[in-house]
Each structure stands twice: as structure tokens, then as C-alpha cells.
Amino acid sequence: MLNSIKILLKQVKQYKTAAFLTPLMTGLEVLMEILIPFITASLIDKGINSGSMPNVIKYGMIMLMMAFISLFFGVAAGTFASRASSGFAANLRDEMYTNIQRFSFSNIDKYSTAGLVTRMTTDVSNIQNAFQMCLRIAVRAPLNLIISLAMCIIIQPRVSVIFLVAIAILACIIIFLMGRTTAAFRRTFRKYDNLNASVQENVSAIRVVKAFVREEFENSKFVKAATDLYEMFVKAEKLTVLTMPIMSLVINGCIIALSWMGAHFIVDGYLTTGQLTSLFSYVMNVLFSLMMLSMIFVMITMSTASGQRIAEVITEEPDIRNPENPVMEVKDGSVSFRDADFAYKRRIVTYDEDGHEVITIEDVTKERHEETLHDINIDIAAGETIGIIGGTGSGKSSMIALISRLYDVTNGAVLVGGVDVRNYDLTVLRDAVSVVLQQNTLFSGTILDNLRWGSPDASEEECRRACALACADEFIERMPDGYNTMITQGGTNVSGGQKQRLCIARALMKKPKILILDDSTSACDTATDAKIRKAFREEIPGTTKLIIAQRISSVEDADRIIVLDNGTIAACGSHEELLKTSEIYREIYETQVKGGGDFDHPQ
Amino acid sequence: MADQKRTPAPPRGARIKTKVENPGQLLKRVLAIVFKNYWLHYLIVLACIAIAAFTNLRGTLFMRSLIDDYITPMLSQADPQFSPLAAALVRLAGIYAIGIVASFTQQRLMVNISQGTMLNIRKQLFTHMESLPISYFDTHSHGDIMSIYTNDVDTLRQLISQSIPQLVNSSITVVITFISMIMLSPQLTGVSVVMVIITLLASAKLGTLSGKYFIQQQKDLGALNGYIEEMIGGQKVVKVFCHEDKAVTDFRERNEKLRDSAYNANRFASIMMPVNGNLGNISYVLCAVIGAAIALSGSVSLTLGSLVTFLTLNRNFSMPITQVSMQMNSIIMALAGADRVFKLIDTEPEQDHGYVELVQVREAADGTLSETTERTGEWAWRHPHQADGTVTYQRLQGKVTFDGVDFGYTDDKMVLHDIRLFAEPGQKIAFVGSTGAGKTTITNLINRFYDIQDGKIRYDDININKIKKPDLRRSLGMVLQDTHLFTGTVMENIRYGRLDATDEECIAAAKLANADGFIRRLPQGYDTFLRGDGANLSQGQRQLLAIARAAVADPPALILDEATSSIDTRTEALISSGMDKLMSGRTTFVIAHRLSTVRNADCIMVLEQGRIIERGNHDQLIAQKGKYYQLYTGNQASA
């Protein structure tokens, strides 16, 4: 916990001055505020009780000045606190985001998208609030406590015994209560999260609920869970509501003791009436500060989880980096796998006692059955068209991910243009190897904006050409705004097949030496699919093309087809050869011809 | 429109919660809910607040008599008598004790009131939500609906448990403090009041400024969060295109904008506290000085005790007022939340005017049907006849007809035009066509997720409007493309199809759906706990479970929406054979994506832009050489 606080605090950076000035200003404000009752004592004793109007005015002016100074420092503290906390939050987001940009695929796999988004939004706001609170109250409360105590001791050391006793009693009770309640509240909040999760489930699965006529069932399930939650809350809060009455008890006890002892001291001449009134103010101050302190404590405990989650992202080490003295040019589009083995790191999700996800990544032991790819050996010449086919989990996507170094091999090597991919500059390599991912995304912006991801300075003409190659031109031109049509977030306003073709066009914009399509035409009808492949063959013959597909028809005209089975190359050859030699290939072919094909197609 | 359910939620934080119409009305309604179940509790709470405020005041006023009546006289006594003071302190202790008991009672009851009211509101929200039509869920983002349960209900709890009692407490304190102040010194009270007015004006000014920037901050926050969601979601694409630097630049622009507006919004809010506090200090000082002057001048009698007491009262007077003014914002926010809660509760639930019911029957030897509660596997429609009070039974067969059906999600835009179809019992009807052609829409109509604008849909020759919705839906099993599973064990998820199914029946259903194999390989088999919509299962496995769930329900008719996502050949084979087994002997409507599904359909409907453009079985349609042929062969030229 301390460690993550340290990591977070490093991000205060340019707001250090503001972060430092806030407590300073607050301190001065508190000092002024606390001195006011002290001066009041003088006003009463030297002014009223001795009947001196000049003294009244003198002390009055001092107090008024102090109040104004306090106001000034208070406003300054507030301003600095906001500057420091909003800046700190911006820095945290920035640091997380830039680090996420450095993440490799396996770093990305470790976190879920939703998890990362929560860290950058909710968790950052939690920390921002806690930070601001800490800057202001964490100084104010202890300072208030200490100065008030000091003032009491200065006024009359013997009276301050009352305070010490009261503080000791109060501290014990608060610590005891907090110990009991935080555990109860944690359990309760977890339950609360679960309740909300079940509502969420109902909202998204409402069609299932309605289709099975399960409204009553869901209602009774919910009512039971909500009632449980109610009981847990009441049980947990039963203890917290004791805090205030106990505080009042102690404060009131103090006032009575102070009245009794004060009266004795005044009569005996150890104390003046004015001082007694100041002491009354300080009692309130001390106890109020204690309450504040307990509040801060709760706030910090509540935000530690957020802090840890943020620190986790900031300190995540990207596991793929640029080599020293990288190779800056990819000679040609040849690809070679040399005894390549690959295993994903194992992502283990457990839940801590608060019900938060704890993700740990384990390096997989070198056992063969845990490897995704095993002993891959193949040489692909520049300009060749290679089809890759095999069942889910056979390792198709993993194999092509190694080429542009989205993941690193665990053993062996992958060579592009005759050079180990680990020796290339990452940007150079990835610009030469264009991958159309299976899970692909378009971003909000116009079609042109999206295409220019592949090449920022491309002219509209170049964009059109790429779209023509990917057979995307016809539907784009039919759209009301053509190439300037806005794509909504997530690309929801284009159909699956259109999205795939746009993604292919975007990948082509790079003019890559190697083009990889990972099941990228699955939502296009067979005719379009064939047309795209024909365009590739005729227009970009020099580009090495690797095509992963579920449909045999998508790969049958490739120069060679790799059949992957369980992480190994089971067979490799042309369609005709494989039909003769590979049993797996023949099986896939037959089921598809018999009618396992896909009937989905675009508009 | 068919894909409405997948519209993404708007970015979090995009909603601006600062505007409320009719706050008084809303507050009244919130209070009505609280009072309905807890009026006695609440009255006691109010009484306790008043008692606590009075005892507090008594405590403060004691200060005056401590100085004026006990200490000052004692100072002039040769032999000071402490016993009267002791007696007074005992009385004070008694008053304090009453105050403490009152404040404890108040807080303890408040727990029950606020949590109990939350429970009632949650229950009402949820049960009402379950009764809403599908269109509600299709037209409201799920993020917004969720936010009602989380944020809005929570701010409402704060309103009930903190703001309202504090408001009451503050008002009582202000009033009785004010009266005591006037009794002690009308002149000083004047000073106090002026200072309070200045404080209020300052708060109002700061509040407006802060509010203005707050709206800007919410906007910037929404924009940044939206950007983060989109970019992180597409992070792998960012990597593949080496787009990292550009992504950082774009991000920074938005991040800095938010930082600046957050700073401004925050600044005015955070200087509110020191401004209020120190204006209080100034008021304290002014009263002390003016009070001292008055006491010294002797024109009006003001004892030292009175002055000291007044100074404390002055604080007690201004503090609750500034507290309330600071609470105002959270009250408005809570009322905005209440508004959204009530909007959901006020949304018209799904209407059902049906009267025909689905019942289990047993056939007697003579062919007459009699109703039974046993699970016979034989179903009949039960028609009550209002005229003579008799009931007739009609065997359920599974014949479905569409007659000239027009439908649009909104009245101005029709999605389906003049749909006519005829499904004989046990037939398999397949719909094919491109995305947006209206395939999913048709299935939404059969089970009345949506009601049609024109035409008629009949089920066993009964207009489906006359069938009670729950009974209609019970008769139609559904397997949707997006499989949704619930938190719970695998067994519980299968049993969702029929709650009284035994373990054996569930396992049998899983076997029929070809799900048994993978379930047994799960760590705890059928007792494996699924959470987060079955996140620990693959898409194919979830689909198999959904089929098992429909199988255990054993419905007479089925609606299937095939999964489109790429599933490996082996699982796909398992799924399609599972579906085939499920379909056998039932009238089935299937939205087909696979050739194998279509080929053995009794009738294939080819949809385009909301119209059926071709119909027939596979061979007929191939022979017709129309759109179907073109899609099937992928051969554009021959079209």
C-alpha cells in the first residue's frame, strides 16, 4: 500500500508547488483561526473586565485582521488544492494512458478493456478527491488538534488533563468502532456490487427473462438479495451510529468537567473568566478535529483500492520493446519460422476479500501441452499467397501475431526479410507487416480519417485505390457523404462485411510488404471474398499475403495452404495436394461442401 | 433497427445532473415514499431532532449562568459555595443525557428509515423494470438504466438520511438560536443577521460560478471518457498501426481541457468552505467587539455571561445556514436523481389484454381434453367465454400465420411491409437476408416483444393479441444470437428454462444440446459457478448452454437466432446437431446464417428491406435462380 502511494505521488510533478503550498496555507489559516479565541480571552479580561475601551478596540482590530488574513489563506489554500488535485488527476491519466500505449499485446490481454477504462475514470476521480481532502484536512485536523492542545496547556496546564483523558477515551472508542465497522462495510459493499451486477445482468438479458416469462422469478431473486443487503447495511450502520452520541457524551462530559474545574480555578485565581471561554472553544476544536481525522482515515482506506489499481497500470512493464541499434529497413516480404514455440502467459483472475479482481500473470512452464504453437518451421517467399486453416485453438491467430511481433516467441525465431523480428525497429516492422485483426475496430471519425490510420498523409485518391482493392468502394460511394461519411463509435453504422472491407482497405494504405488477414472476410459473401482475392493477386502481386480463414473457398486458390492442428503444422501444400495427402484438410473440406458453409452476407 | 440492442452506451459522465424541473413536487414525492412506510419512525426522528436541538441550546445558554450566576458572584464571596454549581451541573448533565439519547434514537431510526426506503425504492424500481416492454430497453442505454440503480438511488439515500434531517435540524436550530439571540441582545443579533446575509450572497455567487464550470467539467469528462473507452477498446489496432504517438497527442488535448475545467469548477467549490468559515470568524469578532463596547458603555445591559453565550450562539446561528446553503447543491443533485428514478417508475408497463391461457391437459379416451396441473407434455389453449361463463380447450399445435403484417419501431418508419407467411405445425421456417433486412424483427413480433401496426399474426388460428403474453411466450422457446447467461451454477442456468426441472432433466437437456461433454470437463462440472455473463466460457459453449436451457423448457414452438460469430468447425457441428435435435417435432422459426440450417427448412423466406422477396424450399429457390440462388452460389453474374 505504501509502495503504491509512493508511485502515485511521483505523478504530482509540476504541481508540487501547489501541493506544498496548500497545507502551508491551510496551516496558516488554522493558526489564525485558533488564535482568535485566545485573543478573545484578552479582549474579555483586559478589555471588558478592566473596563478599557481602547483595549477592546485594540484586540478587536487584531482579531478582525486575523480573520481577514485567515480568509485570504483559506481562499489561497482552496485554489492551490484545486490546482494540485486536478493537475494530479490529469497527470495520473496521462501517465496511465502513455504507458498503455507502450503495452504489448500480452500486457493488453492482462487487463480487460472495462478494467482499464475504470482505472482511468472512476479510480482517478476517487484518488483526486482523496488527494484534495488530504491536502486540506489532513493538515487542518492534526494541526488544529495540536495547536488547540498547546493553547490549552499555555492557558492552564492543569485543566488540559481533562482533554488528555477525553482524547484517550475517544481515540480508543473510535478505533474500536472503526475496526468493527470497516469489515462490516466491506462485506456490505461487496454485496451491494453483486446486487448491481445482477441488475445489470437483467437489463442486458431482458429478452431472455421475458422469453422464458421469468419476471416473477427475477423479482423474487432480487427482493431476496435486496432484503439481505438491507439487513447487512442496518447491521453495519448500527455500530456507526454510536459514534456521534459517544462524541457528544465525551464533549459534554468535558464541558461539565471544565465548568466545575474552571470555577474552582477562577475562584482560586489560577484562571480568568476570559480564559475559560477560550478553553470552551478549544474543547470543541479538539474534538471536532478528532472527528475529521477519523473521516480522513475512512476516506484513505476507501481509496487505497483505487490507488493500487492505478499504480498497477503505471508500473506495468511493457514486455516487448525496441532493441538497441534496431534494423531500420525490411528488405523483402519473406517470412521464416525457425523451430518457433509460443505460449501465452497464463492470466489468473482471483478475487480478494473485497471482491476486487486480482490479476496475476504467470509465465507458462515449458511443458508441451501448454504451448499454443509448437515447433513451427516454414519458409514463405516474398510475394507468395499462403492460406492458413484449422479449428479454433489450433494456433492460427497466434502464428501470424508472431510475424509483426505482437507477441514474442518463447523459443526459436521468426524472420522477416531474413532478419529476426526482434532486431527490427517496431514501427518499421509493423509498417511493413500489415495485419487485419480478427477483432477489429473502426474509430469515430470519417471513413477517410479511418483510412489514414494506415498512412497519415495519403491523398484521397490513394484512399480510393485502397478501397477499390478491398471492394469497399462501391458501398462507400453509395453512402450519402461518400468518403466523408462519419463512422460512429465502434463502427455501428456499417454492417459487419462493410466493416471488414474498410479494415482491409485501412491495412492496405500502409503499402505493406506483408499483408495478413485474420479471418477478415468472414462476414463478406463468397463473391466479394473472391473478388478481393482476385484484386490482391492482380494488383499487389509483390506483397506476401497470409490469409486465415474458416472457409476452404477463401484459401483454395492460395499458393500453399498451411493446416494447423493443435499448435503444429499438420500439413502444407496446395489445395489439390492437401486433398490427397491431409486427412484433416479433407475432413474440413467435406463438411463444408456438404453444407457447413456460411450464409451471411452484406447488403 | 434489428441491432438496436447493441447500441453502445453513451460515455460515462456525459450526463449533466444539474437541472431539475419542479423540485418541490419531487421532494414531496420522495417524502411521501418515506412517510408511507415509516411515518411513525419519521415523526419520532423529527421529535428527537427538536429535543437534541433544544438540549444543545440549553447547554450553550448554561455558559451564561455559569459566569453570571455562579462564578462572578463566587468571586466576591469570602467563602465561595460550590454546592449550587454542583447542583446546576448535575441538572446540565441530565439535560445532556436527554440530548444524547435523543440524537442516538434519531440516528438509529434513521438507519432503518433510509435503508428501508432504499429497499422499497429498489424493489419498486426492479419489479417495475421487469414489467417494462422490450422497447424501453432498446431505446434506453443500459449504462443509463444502471446509473439509476447505482448513482441515483445512492444520492437519494443521502437526501433522505442526511440532507433532510440536517435541513430540519438546521431550521430548528436557527429558529431557536435566533430567538435566544434576540433575548440576549437585539443589537448584536442585527450584526449577526447582516453577516449571515453577506455569507449567503457570497455562497450564492461562488455557487453560480462553480456551477457554470461544473457543467463544462462534466462535458469535458464525458468527452475524455468516451475517447478513452473507444481507444482502449481498439488498443490492439492502435498497436498494429503504430498509432501510439498520435493517440497520446489526441488524448492530451482532451485531458488538459478537462484538467482546466475541473480546476475551475473545483476552485470555486473549495473556496466556499474557507469563505463561509472566515466570514463566520469575522462575524464572531464583530460581535465580540461591538458587544464589548455595548457592555462597557452600559447604555444597554449586557453581562459578560450574555456576551460569551452570544458569541457561541452566533456560531450556532451562522453555521447551519451556511451548511444548508452548501447542501443545496447536493439536494438538487439528489432531486435530479429522484426525477430519473420516478421517470422509470412512471414508464408505462407492458400492456396485456390477452385472455387465452396455455394449460397442461390430459386427453380422455373420448378425445375430450381436461386441464391438469401435472406435466403431461400436452398443451392446450384455454378460452374462457364471457357470455356464458364456459371454458373450451383447443389443442396446441404450433401453426403460425402472418397476414399482411406491417411493422415499424416508430410509427413514421416502417421496417416490415406486408409480411405474409404460413407455418404448419412442426414446420421449420428459415429467414435469410442481409443485416437490417428485418429478420430479427419478425421474431420480435411472434412473441409480442413488439406489437404490429397493421395486419394479423395468428397462433393456432388465435390472434396473438388475445393470448396472455406470459402464456404466449411460454409456448415459444427462444435461443438468441447473443447468449445471455446468469450468475449462478451451470445447473441453475439450464434450469432457468423450467424452474421445477430435476437435475436429471437438466442433464438430459444438456445431453440433447451436446453441452454435457464440455460441462463435465469444467472444474466443478454442473456446479461450476458462472459469473459476468459466463465470461469463463467460450462463445460456442455459451451457445450450447442456451440451447440446453431452451431444451429443458420443452416448448411447443421455437425461435432460433443462429450465432454469427466464427465458431470452430467442431463446436459448430455440435451446435447445429444440438439445434436439429431441439427443433425436431416443433414449429421453428430460424434466422439462418448457415447453409446447413437453410437447406432442410420446409420454407425459406428471403427478406430484403423489410419485404419477403422470395419464398420456397431450397430446391425451388435454387431453380428460381433469383436472389437466393445468387446468395447461395455467391455468383453475381447469373443473377
Side-chain angles (χ1 to χ4, degrees):
Chain A
M1 180 179 140
L2 274 177
N3 205 18
S4 49
I5 290 178
K6 231 164 84 188
I7 294 162
L8 296 188
L9 286 183
K10 263 193 203 145
Q11 301 306 322
V12 178
K13 288 180 184 162
Q14 69 268 43
Y15 303 101
K16 266 195 196 112
T17 331
F20 179 73
L21 282 174
T22 311
L24 189 73
M25 295 292 147
T26 314
L28 290 171
E29 185 200 358
V30 171
L31 194 67
M32 289 299 136
E33 248 179 17
I34 290 177
L35 285 176
I36 291 176
F38 189 67
I39 310 286
T40 318
S42 303
L43 180 103
I44 291 172
D45 295 335
K46 293 180 187 151
I48 303 175
N49 280 349
S50 38
S52 156
M53 195 60 201
N55 271 350
V56 168
I57 292 172
K58 184 179 117 192
Y59 290 115
M61 288 313 284
I62 295 178
M63 281 162 68
L64 204 57
M65 245 168 59
M66 286 166 75
F68 274 107
I69 296 173
S70 166
L71 174 64
F72 170 78
F73 284 134
V75 170
T79 310
F80 286 128
S82 324
R83 178 177 297 282
S85 59
S86 53
F88 178 52
N91 281 352
L92 284 179
R93 282 190 297 262
D94 191 87
E95 187 66 23
M96 273 195 274
Y97 192 76
T98 38
N99 202 38
I100 291 170
Q101 297 308 315
R102 285 192 287 269
F103 276 14
S104 72
F105 270 41
S106 59
N107 292 121
I108 300 170
D109 294 339
K110 180 173 163 185
Y111 302 94
S112 62
T113 304
L116 284 176
V117 171
T118 315
R119 280 163 221 250
M120 290 199 64
T121 51
T122 322
D123 286 336
V124 170
S125 335
N126 285 347
I127 291 294
Q128 179 181 351
N129 288 336
F131 184 67
Q132 184 168 359
M133 273 293 218
C134 279
L135 282 185
R136 304 185 67 193
I137 297 171
V139 172
R140 175 180 276 271
L143 208 62
N144 220 328
L145 187 75
I146 293 164
I147 302 179
S148 295
L149 270 179
M151 296 309 289
C152 291
I153 293 169
I154 291 170
I155 293 172
Q156 177 47 260
R158 283 202 267 170
V159 177
S160 45
V161 174
I162 299 174
F163 288 85
L164 293 180
V165 173
I167 290 171
I169 295 174
L170 208 53
C172 289
I173 295 171
I174 289 179
I175 290 171
F176 171 76
L177 279 182
M178 286 218 314
R180 294 287 299 274
T181 49
T182 38
F185 270 112
R186 272 187 189 178
R187 276 197 299 276
T188 312
F189 280 121
R190 199 181 332 159
K191 183 100 191 169
Y192 181 50
D193 288 345
N194 289 343
L195 184 77
N196 285 331
S198 85
V199 175
Q200 168 101 59
E201 212 165 69
N202 256 278
V203 171
S204 57
I206 189 72
R207 279 186 153 76
V208 178
V209 174
K210 296 237 167 207
F212 284 102
V213 199
R214 286 288 171 266
E215 291 97 329
E216 290 302 319
F217 174 69
E218 291 296 334
N219 282 345
S220 61
K221 230 167 65 179
F222 179 84
V223 168
K224 192 181 165 301
T227 312
D228 281 355
L229 178 71
Y230 163 77
E231 275 154 15
M232 282 178 83
F233 256 122
V234 170
K235 221 173 124 194
E237 284 193 25
K238 245 186 205 166
L239 284 169
T240 24
V241 295
L242 282 174
T243 327
M244 278 309 285
I246 287 172
M247 293 240 177
S248 314
L249 192 68
V250 175
I251 293 180
N252 293 338
C254 277
I255 290 174
I256 290 175
L258 199 58
S259 304
W260 180 249
M261 285 177 78
H264 276 274
F265 285 135
I266 292 174
V267 170
D268 295 346
Y270 295 121
L271 196 74
T272 63
T273 325
Q275 286 174 334
L276 182 64
T277 58
S278 314
L279 282 176
F280 278 122
S281 305
Y282 291 132
V283 183
M284 298 291 183
N285 259 344
V286 167
L287 300 165
F288 192 63
S289 314
L290 278 178
M291 259 166 64
M292 289 283 225
L293 274 180
S294 65
M295 221 173 79
I296 296 176
F297 187 77
V298 171
M299 187 122 186
I300 291 179
T301 9
M302 270 164 66
S303 55
T304 35
S306 293
Q308 275 163 347
R309 280 197 293 267
I310 293 174
E312 210 181 349
V313 177
I314 292 180
T315 50
E316 177 81 24
E317 282 289 323
D319 60 4
I320 291 182
R321 297 158 178 281
N322 251 347
E324 285 173 45
N325 307 318
V327 179
M328 297 304 285
E329 204 203 334
V330 179
K331 227 170 48 216
D332 59 55
S334 66
V335 178
S336 306
F337 283 77
R338 298 256 186 279
D339 303 325
D341 293 345
F342 173 67
Y344 285 101
K345 288 178 179 167
R346 203 168 10 176
R347 181 175 188 269
I348 301 163
V349 180
T350 48
Y351 294 87
D352 69 6
E353 50 178 302
D354 296 342
H356 293 301
E357 264 191 1
V358 177
I359 308 160
T360 39
I361 299 291
E362 236 175 52
D363 275 316
V364 170
T365 44
K366 218 199 111 34
E367 274 176 58
R368 185 172 170 174
H369 67 273
E370 294 191 318
E371 277 176 355
T372 309
L373 289 174
H374 186 74
D375 213 8
I376 302 291
N377 274 300
I378 190 164
D379 285 297
I380 299 165
E384 224 182 332
T385 299
I386 300 289
I388 303 174
I389 214 153
T392 306
S394 60
K396 303 182 301 274
S397 298
S398 313
M399 182 175 164
I400 55 101
L402 299 177
I403 301 173
S404 59
R405 222 187 147 203
L406 302 174
Y407 295 94
D408 271 344
V409 287
T410 30
N411 284 299
V414 176
L415 278 56
V416 167
V419 177
D420 190 320
V421 289
R422 284 168 293 193
N423 295 334
Y424 281 112
D425 177 80
L426 279 175
T427 312
V428 168
L429 175 70
R430 288 180 188 162
D431 278 342
V433 183
S434 207
V435 190
V436 182
L437 296 173
Q438 191 179 8
Q439 302 270 318
N440 226 319
T441 325
L442 291 174
F443 295 86
S444 45
T446 64
I447 289 181
L448 277 181
D449 290 341
N450 270 287
L451 291 171
R452 285 188 181 132
W453 271 57
S455 159
D457 317 310
S459 67
E460 197 173 328
E461 190 41 48
E462 286 174 277
C463 295
R464 281 175 199 278
R465 217 161 35 233
C467 289
L469 261 177
C471 295
D473 52 342
E474 0 149 12
F475 79 83
I476 297 173
E477 273 149 27
R478 263 188 283 123
M479 287 178 157
D481 298 318
Y483 285 83
N484 290 311
T485 305
M486 286 299 289
I487 301 288
T488 53
Q489 187 170 341
T492 41
N493 59 341
V494 284
S495 74
Q498 293 173 337
K499 194 169 139 186
Q500 286 186 336
R501 281 178 280 169
L502 278 175
C503 288
I504 294 173
R506 180 174 63 181
L508 286 170
M509 292 295 298
K510 281 192 188 177
K511 303 207 169 57
K513 293 201 163 64
I514 300 167
L515 177 68
I516 298 171
L517 305 186
D518 189 354
D519 206 8
S520 309
T521 52
S522 58
C524 302
D525 60 283
T526 3
T528 313
D529 188 21
K531 232 168 104 186
I532 296 173
R533 275 178 288 122
K534 181 162 172 270
F536 283 177
R537 204 164 40 236
E538 286 164 5
E539 305 289 333
I540 48 167
T543 305
T544 313
K545 292 162 284 272
L546 284 92
I547 299 168
I548 295 182
Q550 297 277 351
R551 287 187 289 216
I552 292 270
S553 64
S554 300
V555 293
E556 67 189 330
D557 53 0
D559 297 326
R560 278 188 292 166
I561 299 161
I562 298 171
V563 182
L564 275 180
D565 186 44
N566 223 351
T568 53
I569 296 182
C572 179
S574 69
H575 177 67
E576 285 71 26
E577 285 166 12
L578 287 175
L579 277 183
K580 277 182 229 136
T581 56
S582 170
E583 200 182 315
I584 301 172
Y585 189 79
R586 202 162 48 232
E587 202 178 285
I588 298 172
Y589 178 74
E590 272 160 18
T591 48
Q592 290 192 4
V593 169
K594 260 194 285 165
D598 205 313
F599 205 72
D600 241 5
H601 40 73
Q603 278 161 308
Chain B
M1 285 300 269
D3 282 345
Q4 269 183 339
K5 54 183 180 284
R6 272 178 242 128
T7 15
R12 268 171 285 176
R15 300 188 316 156
I16 295 160
K17 320 176 174 182
T18 39
K19 232 175 133 189
V20 188
E21 283 168 32
N22 239 334
Q25 208 67 30
L26 284 168
L27 192 64
K28 230 169 94 187
R29 194 163 167 192
V30 171
L31 287 176
I33 293 177
V34 177
F35 274 110
K36 199 179 147 209
N37 294 292
Y38 292 99
W39 60 274
L40 187 58
H41 285 69
Y42 221 81
L43 285 183
I44 297 174
V45 163
L46 291 180
C48 285
I49 292 175
I51 292 171
F54 270 108
T55 56
N56 243 331
L57 181 73
R58 268 305 277 121
T60 317
L61 290 175
F62 175 75
M63 218 69 70
R64 184 179 96 139
S65 48
L66 175 70
I67 295 173
D68 290 349
D69 302 343
Y70 300 100
I71 295 178
T72 317
M74 276 195 268
L75 282 175
S76 52
Q77 285 167 6
D79 178 24
Q81 285 298 311
F82 281 97
S83 51
L85 176 63
L89 286 178
V90 170
R91 276 199 304 278
L92 180 67
I95 291 169
Y96 278 150
I98 295 173
I100 290 172
V101 170
S103 87
F104 173 73
T105 315
Q106 174 219 330
Q107 301 222 11
R108 182 61 193 82
L109 286 178
M110 217 53 227
V111 172
N112 282 39
I113 295 175
S114 60
Q115 292 298 342
T117 306
M118 285 308 101
L119 174 64
N120 289 334
I121 289 180
R122 284 202 187 102
K123 276 197 226 166
Q124 206 184 340
L125 264 178
F126 190 86
T127 45
H128 190 80
M129 181 182 85
E130 293 289 303
S131 77
L132 294 178
I134 291 287
S135 59
Y136 180 84
F137 298 89
D138 284 349
T139 51
H140 291 74
S141 101
H142 293 177
D144 280 355
I145 300 177
M146 276 317 294
S147 164
I148 295 175
Y149 283 88
T150 52
N151 303 331
D152 296 340
V153 171
D154 208 55
T155 51
L156 209 53
R157 184 184 58 78
Q158 281 183 15
L159 176 76
I160 295 168
S161 70
Q162 288 169 17
S163 306
I164 295 180
Q166 190 164 22
L167 209 64
V168 174
N169 185 17
S170 301
S171 334
I172 295 177
T173 309
V174 166
V175 170
I176 59 176
T177 311
F178 185 69
I179 294 169
S180 323
M181 280 163 72
I182 289 187
M183 289 196 326
L184 283 174
S185 165
Q187 295 91 337
L188 290 184
T189 310
V191 177
S192 270
V193 170
V194 170
M195 285 308 293
V196 164
I197 291 173
I198 294 176
T199 314
L200 284 180
L201 288 178
S203 310
K205 180 81 193 144
L206 288 174
T208 332
L209 281 172
S210 164
K212 199 181 88 192
Y213 286 110
F214 185 72
I215 293 175
Q216 185 60 41
Q217 173 193 291
Q218 293 303 87
K219 256 190 218 154
D220 293 343
L221 186 68
L224 180 72
N225 288 357
Y227 183 78
I228 291 174
E229 284 202 35
E230 175 166 22
M231 295 311 281
I232 304 272
Q235 193 57 37
K236 289 195 170 178
V237 179
V238 172
K239 295 290 315 174
V240 166
F241 282 92
C242 302
H243 209 262
E244 296 95 332
D245 293 339
K246 179 83 171 58
V248 170
T249 322
D250 287 353
F251 168 80
R252 286 217 167 117
E253 200 180 299
R254 291 169 172 83
N255 193 25
E256 274 155 29
K257 231 175 131 195
L258 171 63
R259 181 198 59 201
D260 295 340
S261 58
Y263 163 60
N264 281 319
N266 227 314
R267 182 169 59 145
F268 292 111
S270 43
I271 61 179
M272 188 106 87
M273 200 165 82
V275 164
N276 284 338
N278 286 300
L279 285 175
N281 283 337
I282 292 171
S283 166
Y284 173 89
V285 173
L286 284 178
C287 287
V289 175
I290 296 170
I294 293 172
L296 283 182
S297 70
S299 57
V300 188
S301 83
L302 182 68
T303 61
L304 181 57
S306 303
L307 176 60
V308 171
T309 311
F310 188 91
L311 290 181
T312 318
L313 286 179
N314 180 42
R315 246 172 228 264
N316 290 355
F317 180 57
S318 61
M319 221 148 73
I321 293 182
T322 51
Q323 267 173 3
V324 168
S325 73
M326 275 157 76
Q327 285 269 325
M328 247 17 219
N329 202 23
S330 61
I331 291 177
I332 296 290
M333 256 165 80
L335 288 179
D339 194 24
R340 284 188 288 270
V341 169
F342 293 140
K343 275 213 178 95
L344 194 152
I345 291 177
D346 294 341
T347 307
E348 184 94 348
E350 203 170 356
Q351 296 297 319
D352 188 5
H353 302 296
Y355 53 85
V356 176
E357 290 171 59
L358 183 69
V359 291
Q360 297 270 358
V361 287
R362 191 184 294 286
E363 190 176 348
D366 59 355
T368 54
L369 299 170
S370 59
E371 201 174 327
T372 165
T373 47
E374 276 173 72
R375 202 172 164 80
T376 52
E378 300 200 30
W379 297 92
W381 300 109
R382 177 178 184 274
H383 294 260
H385 299 284
Q386 259 187 349
D388 50 4
T390 56
V391 169
T392 53
Y393 295 96
Q394 173 193 354
R395 187 178 282 279
L396 182 144
Q397 291 171 299
K399 179 171 142 193
V400 177
T401 52
F402 276 56
D403 192 7
V405 170
D406 288 349
F407 172 75
Y409 288 96
T410 50
D411 283 336
D412 52 326
K413 193 174 166 241
M414 288 293 130
V415 193
L416 292 177
H417 309 271
D418 194 26
I419 300 294
R420 292 165 195 279
L421 64 84
F422 194 83
E424 284 292 351
Q427 271 191 337
K428 176 173 164 189
I429 312 289
F431 296 100
V432 299
S434 46
T435 315
K439 295 171 294 187
T440 305
T441 307
I442 289 190
T443 59
N444 271 335
L445 302 181
I446 303 175
N447 57 19
R448 290 190 70 200
F449 278 169
Y450 283 93
D451 279 332
I452 54 177
Q453 264 85 349
D454 199 13
K456 277 207 176 66
I457 303 176
R458 289 196 183 80
Y459 194 149
D460 285 342
D461 295 324
I462 310 164
N463 186 333
I464 56 168
N465 292 342
K466 292 183 183 161
I467 304 174
K468 280 192 175 168
K469 277 187 182 175
D471 294 285
L472 174 67
R473 289 176 189 163
R474 245 196 298 272
S475 73
L476 288 157
M478 248 190 146
V479 179
L480 297 169
Q481 198 187 103
D482 300 322
T483 44
H484 287 289
L485 299 175
F486 294 86
T487 304
T489 62
V490 169
M491 187 68 91
E492 284 164 358
N493 266 290
I494 298 175
R495 190 168 289 135
Y496 203 85
R498 184 157 57 86
L499 298 179
D500 58 359
T502 61
D503 283 0
E504 288 69 36
E505 286 171 314
C506 290
I507 294 171
K511 281 185 176 149
L512 177 99
N514 289 330
D516 185 63
F518 93 82
I519 295 172
R520 286 190 192 281
R521 283 194 300 275
L522 291 173
Q524 277 96 40
Y526 281 88
D527 296 324
T528 306
F529 201 78
L530 305 178
R531 58 172 90 223
D533 209 354
N536 35 356
L537 299 180
S538 77
Q539 171 65 28
Q541 291 172 332
R542 288 177 12 208
Q543 188 86 18
L544 289 175
L545 271 188
I547 297 171
R549 181 169 64 187
V552 85
D554 192 21
L558 267 178
I559 299 171
L560 299 179
D561 198 344
E562 277 188 342
T564 40
S565 53
S566 338
I567 289 168
D568 66 284
T569 334
R570 212 167 302 157
T571 316
E572 190 182 303
L574 283 179
I575 291 176
S576 52
S577 92
M579 281 201 174
D580 284 344
K581 283 188 262 177
L582 185 60
M583 284 186 279
S584 75
R586 306 176 210 266
T587 311
T588 307
F589 295 91
V590 55
I591 298 164
H593 301 289
R594 278 183 274 270
L595 297 176
S596 56
T597 319
V598 182
R599 193 166 315 176
N600 56 18
D602 297 294
C603 186
I604 302 163
M605 307 279 169
V606 184
L607 278 166
E608 196 168 89
Q609 288 172 0
R611 292 175 201 278
I612 298 176
I613 53 164
E614 282 169 35
R615 67 181 80 214
N617 64 27
H618 177 73
D619 295 333
Q620 291 166 337
L621 288 176
I622 287 291
Q624 210 173 319
K625 294 219 169 179
K627 180 78 180 170
Y628 180 83
Y629 175 82
Q630 177 192 330
L631 290 168
Y632 184 78
T633 55
N635 193 344
Q636 215 114 41
S638 57

